[in-house]
Amino acid sequence: MAIYDRIGVDYDATRRADPYIVSRLLHHLSSPSGRYCLDLACGTGNYTAALAATGTRLIAIDQSSVMLAAAREKSPTVTWMRANADSLPFAAASFDAAMSTLAHHHFPDIDAAFAEVFRVLKPAGRFVIFTFTPEQMRGYWMNEYFPTICGRAIDQASRLDTPNRLARAGFREIGSEPYDVRPDLQDFFMYSGKHQPARYLDPTIRAGISGFAVNPDDPEIASGCARLADDIKTGRFEAVASRYRSHLGDYVFFAACRP
């Protein structure tokens, strides 16, 4: 995708594997040390390389040649490939597990991609997805300052319907675990500034978030940042944030099993 070829140039300036998220991925993948795992839409390979360091054998695919070039520098043990999620170049039952982190909302055909993952997984193989739901995103205080950007993301999330799509692809035992952004988060994705709102005032951080990077000259960004900076300075921000507190979590891990 063209947007990720552009973002990929400086992506790792603000994006890196968060240790806690890595630990939960391993948990839901059932810690497949020594077994083959597919990373779907790996980006610059931060989470791929982190899991490879634990002994997991990985093959990682992405559409962006720019991101793959950065990924190849991170782990010589991973097989990095340019490929499409909806037409995987692997034989049936090739993998013990599969994962995708903050990516499948960009897939042109999610159903085809999930069907392909089902095909290439061995029986009892786990498929773990780290993503978000529209209900969660409505609880982001970012909606106060960047309503159009958040609205596009919510609309995108509304079309995901991840658990039902997994079920239609044939997956079973579909479980979920909500994730709340932690103050020590190392990966600066969309709601990474939940506890540090000033992060969104940094154009370098915004450049690594697709919602901002798709149109960095959007007037809403400048006006939203100005209002956010003023609210932080005057102390009004806490009152704004308090109106958006939610018990649903900020993101979610979905874990499913191939029968």
Side-chain angles (χ1 to χ4, degrees):
M1 298 175 67
I3 179 64
Y4 278 97
D5 279 344
R6 178 155 52 86
I7 294 175
V9 174
D10 296 311
Y11 191 76
D12 289 334
T14 60
R15 303 297 298 269
R16 55 189 62 88
D18 179 76
Y20 179 77
I21 293 174
V22 170
S23 73
R24 299 317 294 163
L25 287 169
L26 284 168
H27 169 78
H28 290 295
L29 289 165
S30 300
S31 302
S33 181
R35 296 188 292 153
Y36 269 112
C37 179
L38 172 66
D39 188 0
L40 213 62
C42 65
T44 59
N46 291 323
Y47 287 96
T48 327
L51 265 67
T54 70
T56 305
R57 300 162 70 189
L58 283 116
I59 294 178
I61 69 159
D62 201 90
Q63 285 188 329
S64 170
S65 57
V66 173
M67 286 199 158
L68 283 171
R72 289 189 177 99
E73 299 294 321
K74 294 175 183 172
S75 176
T77 66
V78 176
T79 299
W80 308 95
M81 298 178 62
R82 189 175 185 187
N84 295 327
D86 57 8
S87 55
L88 297 173
F90 309 113
S94 296
F95 296 94
D96 301 290
M99 70 175 195
S100 184
T101 59
L102 298 175
H104 80 290
H105 55 287
H106 291 299
F107 293 174
D109 190 335
I110 298 172
D111 289 325
F114 284 7
E116 278 290 87
V117 174
F118 187 90
R119 180 183 67 81
V120 303
L121 279 179
K122 296 175 182 177
R126 306 276 290 175
F127 183 23
V128 179
I129 299 171
F130 182 53
T131 185
F132 42 77
T133 69
E135 295 79 13
Q136 289 176 324
M137 299 191 86
R138 291 187 186 101
Y140 293 5
W141 59 252
M142 292 175 68
N143 287 280
E144 187 80 13
Y145 302 96
F146 312 106
T148 303
I149 290 170
C150 289
R152 284 197 297 263
I154 290 168
D155 182 61
Q156 198 173 39
S158 298
R159 296 193 297 268
L160 293 180
D161 195 20
T162 304
N164 286 329
R165 288 181 187 272
L166 287 168
R168 288 199 298 270
F171 288 97
R172 298 293 180 264
E173 301 176 32
I174 301 166
S176 64
E177 176 187 274
Y179 165 81
D180 288 294
V181 168
R182 296 152 62 99
D184 62 350
L185 178 65
Q186 300 298 302
D187 190 2
F188 294 169
F189 44 71
M190 186 169 184
Y191 203 33
S192 61
K194 176 182 179 179
H195 304 288
Q196 289 90 11
R199 282 180 179 169
Y200 299 108
L201 307 180
D202 185 341
T204 302
I205 289 177
R206 295 198 306 269
I209 299 171
S210 62
F212 290 106
V214 68
N215 185 9
D217 297 321
D218 185 340
E220 179 174 277
I221 297 176
S223 63
C225 285
R227 288 193 298 115
L228 176 57
D230 187 60
D231 283 356
I232 293 170
K233 182 178 179 180
T234 62
R236 287 193 298 262
F237 171 76
E238 289 304 322
V240 171
S242 69
R243 299 202 300 269
Y244 287 88
R245 292 196 178 117
S246 169
H247 67 281
L248 299 175
D250 304 314
Y251 292 83
V252 61
F253 294 93
F254 287 115
C257 183
R258 186 201 190 285

